[in-house]
Amino acid sequence: MTNEEFLAKVPIFESCTPDEIASIAAVAQEHTYGPGQIIVTQGTPGQAFYLITDGRVAVERDGSVLGAFGAGDFFGEMSLLDSAPRSATIRAIDETHCLMLSSWDFKSLLQRTPSIAVKLLEVLSRRLRVADERLTR
């Protein structure tokens, strides 16, 4: 599967056009992490968004494992918009392949293609609404 095909299937980009997906793929960087390797560290400034193309990662907060993500999952999406501290550490369980979007590359892309920003805001708003509903039950 090409990076463009993969990105088109990721929920956060599902409403993007093929041209918008191609623009995102053009700024995405491929990274590979070995088992046990830390990808992001809790408390450090968020500067990138990651999409897992293959492998699995553990989500850890304050030394406790909260869960795991696998191929098709993503993390750090809020880092595309702010540089707030990471809320969790993400550690590779298996050899893990990710597409990484740096916040500075993505912000530059949004300035050139604002339609992506509108679609991203809609998706993030839905995710926030779902999270809020879970908390208020």
Side-chain angles (χ1 to χ4, degrees):
M1 179 181 306
T2 68
N3 288 348
E4 288 182 23
E5 291 169 333
F6 180 80
L7 287 167
K9 293 182 181 203
V10 174
I12 200 166
F13 299 127
E14 67 189 359
S15 57
C16 290
T17 67
D19 285 345
E20 291 167 339
I21 292 292
S23 296
I24 296 166
V27 298
Q29 301 171 31
E30 296 180 31
H31 289 274
T32 300
Y33 302 92
Q37 188 173 358
I38 293 175
I39 301 171
V40 300
T41 303
Q42 180 181 350
T44 61
Q47 299 175 339
F49 166 61
Y50 297 83
L51 303 111
I52 303 168
T53 58
D54 188 46
R56 291 182 311 134
V57 300
V59 180
E60 305 170 1
R61 184 175 298 142
D62 300 326
S64 297
V65 176
L66 301 178
F69 291 145
D73 290 325
F74 53 90
F75 55 93
E77 63 273 18
M78 297 308 291
S79 295
L80 292 177
L81 305 173
D82 66 25
S83 295
R86 298 282 187 183
S87 61
T89 293
I90 306 293
R91 183 186 313 270
I93 296 170
D94 309 316
E95 181 173 291
T96 300
H97 303 272
C98 295
L99 289 178
M100 188 268 296
L101 296 168
S102 70
S103 60
W104 50 89
D105 284 341
F106 197 72
K107 285 177 183 175
S108 177
L109 172 64
L110 295 181
Q111 290 174 343
R112 293 189 311 272
T113 315
S115 58
I116 295 172
V118 172
K119 292 171 181 172
L120 179 68
L121 287 171
E122 290 169 353
V123 171
L124 292 176
S125 176
R126 281 194 303 269
R127 289 172 55 101
L128 183 58
R129 188 176 311 280
V130 167
D132 185 52
E133 288 172 3
R134 287 182 186 151
L135 289 174
T136 58
R137 286 187 201 164

Coordinates of all heavy atoms in Angstrom, one line a residue, residues 71-108:
A71 N -1.4 -1.0 13.5 CA -1.4 -0.5 12.2 C -2.8 0.2 11.9 O -3.8 -0.3 12.3 CB -1.2 -1.6 11.2
G72 N -2.7 1.4 11.4 CA -3.9 2.2 11.1 C -4.3 3.2 12.3 O -5.0 4.1 12.0
D73 N -3.7 3.0 13.4 CA -3.9 3.9 14.5 C -2.9 5.1 14.4 O -1.9 5.0 13.7 CB -3.7 3.2 15.9 CG -4.8 2.2 16.2 OD1 -6.0 2.5 15.8 OD2 -4.5 1.2 16.8
F74 N -3.2 6.2 15.1 CA -2.4 7.3 15.1 C -2.4 8.0 16.5 O -3.2 7.7 17.3 CB -2.9 8.3 14.0 CG -4.3 8.7 14.1 CD1 -4.7 9.8 14.9 CD2 -5.3 8.0 13.5 CE1 -6.0 10.2 15.0 CE2 -6.6 8.4 13.5 CZ -7.0 9.4 14.3
F75 N -1.3 8.8 16.7 CA -1.2 9.5 18.0 C -0.5 10.8 17.7 O 0.2 11.0 16.8 CB -0.5 8.6 19.0 CG 0.9 8.1 18.6 CD1 2.0 8.8 18.9 CD2 1.0 6.9 17.9 CE1 3.3 8.4 18.5 CE2 2.2 6.4 17.5 CZ 3.4 7.2 17.8
G76 N -0.7 11.7 18.7 CA 0.0 13.0 18.6 C -0.7 14.0 17.7 O -0.1 15.0 17.3
E77 N -2.0 13.8 17.3 CA -2.7 14.7 16.4 C -2.8 16.1 16.9 O -2.8 17.1 16.1 CB -4.0 14.1 16.0 CG -5.0 14.0 17.1 CD -5.0 12.7 17.8 OE1 -4.0 12.0 17.8 OE2 -6.0 12.4 18.5
M78 N -2.9 16.3 18.2 CA -3.0 17.6 18.8 C -1.7 18.4 18.6 O -1.7 19.6 18.5 CB -3.4 17.6 20.2 CG -4.7 17.0 20.5 SD -6.1 17.7 19.5 CE -6.2 19.3 20.2
S79 N -0.6 17.7 18.4 CA 0.7 18.3 18.2 C 0.8 19.0 16.9 O 1.7 19.9 16.6 CB 1.9 17.3 18.3 OG 1.9 16.8 19.5
L80 N -0.1 18.7 16.0 CA -0.2 19.4 14.7 C -0.6 20.9 14.9 O -0.3 21.7 14.1 CB -1.1 18.7 13.7 CG -0.7 17.3 13.2 CD1 -1.8 16.8 12.4 CD2 0.6 17.4 12.5
L81 N -1.3 21.1 16.0 CA -1.9 22.4 16.2 C -1.2 23.2 17.4 O -1.3 24.4 17.4 CB -3.4 22.3 16.5 CG -4.1 21.6 15.3 CD1 -5.6 21.3 15.7 CD2 -4.0 22.3 14.0
D82 N -0.7 22.5 18.3 CA 0.0 23.1 19.5 C 1.2 22.4 19.9 O 1.5 21.3 19.3 CB -1.0 23.3 20.7 CG -1.4 22.0 21.3 OD1 -0.6 21.0 21.2 OD2 -2.4 21.9 21.9
S83 N 2.0 22.9 20.8 CA 3.2 22.2 21.2 C 3.1 21.9 22.7 O 4.1 21.8 23.4 CB 4.4 23.1 21.0 OG 4.6 23.4 19.6
A84 N 1.9 21.6 23.1 CA 1.7 21.3 24.5 C 2.4 20.0 24.9 O 2.7 19.2 24.0 CB 0.2 21.1 24.8
P85 N 2.7 19.8 26.2 CA 3.5 18.6 26.5 C 2.7 17.3 26.2 O 1.5 17.3 26.3 CB 3.6 18.7 28.1 CG 3.5 20.2 28.3 CD 2.5 20.7 27.3
R86 N 3.4 16.3 25.8 CA 2.8 15.0 25.5 C 2.2 14.4 26.8 O 2.7 14.5 27.9 CB 3.9 14.0 25.1 CG 4.6 14.4 23.8 CD 3.8 14.1 22.6 NE 4.6 14.3 21.4 CZ 4.1 14.2 20.2 NH1 2.8 13.8 20.0 NH2 4.8 14.4 19.1
S87 N 1.0 13.8 26.6 CA 0.2 13.3 27.7 C 0.6 11.9 28.0 O 0.2 11.3 29.0 CB -1.3 13.4 27.4 OG -1.6 12.6 26.3
A88 N 1.4 11.2 27.1 CA 1.8 9.8 27.3 C 3.1 9.6 26.6 O 3.5 10.3 25.7 CB 0.7 8.9 26.8
T89 N 3.8 8.5 27.1 CA 4.9 8.0 26.4 C 4.5 6.9 25.4 O 3.6 6.1 25.8 CB 6.0 7.4 27.4 OG1 6.5 8.5 28.2 CG2 7.1 6.7 26.7
I90 N 5.0 6.9 24.2 CA 4.7 5.9 23.2 C 5.9 5.1 23.0 O 6.9 5.6 22.6 CB 4.1 6.5 21.9 CG1 2.9 7.4 22.2 CG2 3.8 5.4 20.9 CD1 1.7 6.7 22.7
R91 N 5.9 3.7 23.2 CA 7.0 2.9 23.0 C 6.7 1.7 22.0 O 5.6 1.1 22.2 CB 7.4 2.3 24.4 CG 8.6 1.4 24.4 CD 8.8 0.7 25.8 NE 8.7 1.6 26.9 CZ 9.7 2.3 27.4 NH1 10.9 2.2 27.0 NH2 9.5 3.1 28.5
A92 N 7.6 1.5 21.1 CA 7.4 0.4 20.2 C 7.4 -1.0 20.9 O 8.3 -1.2 21.7 CB 8.5 0.4 19.1
I93 N 6.4 -1.8 20.6 CA 6.4 -3.2 21.1 C 7.1 -4.1 20.2 O 8.0 -4.9 20.6 CB 4.9 -3.6 21.3 CG1 4.2 -2.8 22.4 CG2 4.9 -5.1 21.7 CD1 2.7 -3.0 22.4
D94 N 6.8 -4.0 18.9 CA 7.4 -4.7 17.8 C 8.2 -3.7 17.0 O 8.1 -2.5 17.3 CB 6.3 -5.4 16.9 CG 5.3 -6.2 17.7 OD1 5.7 -6.9 18.6 OD2 4.1 -6.0 17.4
E95 N 8.9 -4.2 16.0 CA 9.4 -3.3 15.0 C 8.2 -2.5 14.4 O 7.2 -3.2 14.0 CB 10.2 -4.0 13.9 CG 10.7 -3.0 12.9 CD 11.6 -3.6 11.9 OE1 12.7 -4.1 12.3 OE2 11.2 -3.7 10.7
T96 N 8.2 -1.2 14.5 CA 7.1 -0.4 14.1 C 7.5 0.6 13.1 O 8.5 1.3 13.2 CB 6.5 0.3 15.4 OG1 6.1 -0.7 16.3 CG2 5.3 1.2 15.0
H97 N 6.6 0.7 12.1 CA 6.8 1.7 11.0 C 5.8 2.7 11.1 O 4.6 2.4 11.2 CB 6.8 1.0 9.6 CG 7.8 -0.1 9.5 ND1 9.0 0.1 9.0 CD2 7.7 -1.4 9.8 CE1 9.7 -1.1 9.0 NE2 8.9 -2.0 9.5
C98 N 6.2 4.0 11.0 CA 5.3 5.1 11.1 C 5.5 6.1 10.0 O 6.6 6.3 9.5 CB 5.5 5.9 12.4 SG 5.1 4.9 13.9
L99 N 4.4 6.8 9.7 CA 4.5 8.1 8.9 C 4.5 9.2 9.9 O 3.6 9.2 10.8 CB 3.4 8.2 7.9 CG 3.4 7.3 6.7 CD1 2.1 7.5 5.9 CD2 4.6 7.5 5.9
M100 N 5.4 10.1 9.8 CA 5.5 11.2 10.8 C 5.2 12.5 10.0 O 5.8 12.7 9.0 CB 6.8 11.2 11.5 CG 7.0 12.2 12.6 SD 7.6 13.8 12.2 CE 9.2 13.5 11.6
L101 N 4.4 13.3 10.6 CA 4.1 14.7 10.1 C 4.6 15.7 11.2 O 4.0 15.7 12.3 CB 2.7 14.9 9.8 CG 2.0 14.1 8.7 CD1 0.5 14.2 8.8 CD2 2.6 14.5 7.4
S102 N 5.6 16.5 10.9 CA 6.1 17.5 11.8 C 5.1 18.6 11.8 O 4.4 18.9 10.8 CB 7.5 18.0 11.5 OG 7.4 18.8 10.3
S103 N 5.0 19.2 13.0 CA 4.0 20.3 13.1 C 4.3 21.5 12.2 O 3.4 22.1 11.6 CB 3.9 20.8 14.6 OG 5.1 21.3 15.0
W104 N 5.6 21.8 12.0 CA 6.0 22.9 11.1 C 5.7 22.6 9.7 O 5.2 23.5 8.9 CB 7.4 23.3 11.4 CG 8.4 22.2 11.3 CD1 9.1 21.7 10.2 CD2 8.9 21.4 12.4 NE1 9.9 20.7 10.6 CE2 9.8 20.5 11.9 CE3 8.5 21.4 13.8 CZ2 10.4 19.5 12.8 CZ3 9.2 20.5 14.6 CH2 10.1 19.5 14.1
D105 N 6.0 21.4 9.2 CA 5.6 21.0 7.8 C 4.1 21.0 7.6 O 3.6 21.5 6.6 CB 6.2 19.6 7.5 CG 7.7 19.6 7.2 OD1 8.3 20.7 7.0 OD2 8.3 18.5 7.3
F106 N 3.4 20.5 8.6 CA 1.9 20.4 8.5 C 1.3 21.8 8.5 O 0.4 22.1 7.7 CB 1.3 19.5 9.6 CG -0.1 19.1 9.2 CD1 -0.3 18.2 8.2 CD2 -1.1 19.6 9.9 CE1 -1.6 17.8 7.9 CE2 -2.4 19.2 9.6 CZ -2.7 18.3 8.6
K107 N 1.8 22.7 9.4 CA 1.3 24.1 9.4 C 1.5 24.8 8.1 O 0.7 25.5 7.6 CB 1.8 24.9 10.6 CG 1.3 24.4 11.9 CD 1.9 25.1 13.1 CE 1.4 24.7 14.4 NZ 2.1 25.2 15.6
S108 N 2.7 24.6 7.5 CA 3.0 25.2 6.2 C 2.1 24.7 5.2 O 1.6 25.4 4.3 CB 4.5 24.9 5.9 OG 4.8 25.4 4.6

